[in-house]
Amino acid sequence: MIAWTLRDGEPSTEVEVLFTASDTGTVVELEHRGWERLESDVVERYRGYAAGWTGALQRFRAAAEHRAA
């Protein structure tokens, strides 16, 4: 688990990423929690933030494939 700060000066949230081997590859589970620490206007501003994890997870995949090559 790591502390994740959306913007300087705001309280941090928490991000936990688990990588588990499976028969067909790797299962990746990501949980972003701690939103209750933020002011409601900040939460509203980042409501669509979950879509931002798509790019991050693609970078995890690229890095893993590069290491496996």
Side-chain angles (χ1 to χ4, degrees), residues 3-41:
W4 188 272
T5 303
L6 297 166
R7 192 174 273 175
D8 287 342
E10 294 175 353
S12 62
T13 55
E14 299 169 355
V15 174
E16 184 172 4
V17 184
L18 300 173
F19 298 89
T20 307
S22 75
D23 292 338
T24 58
T26 302
V27 176
V28 180
E29 298 176 71
L30 185 143
E31 184 178 353
H32 189 172
R33 57 184 174 261
W35 292 93
E36 68 281 356
R37 296 183 192 130
L38 305 175
E39 298 291 328
S40 61
D41 64 319

Side-chain angles (χ1 to χ4, degrees), residues 60-69:
F60 279 132
R61 180 180 183 170
E65 289 173 345
H66 178 74
R67 288 186 133 194

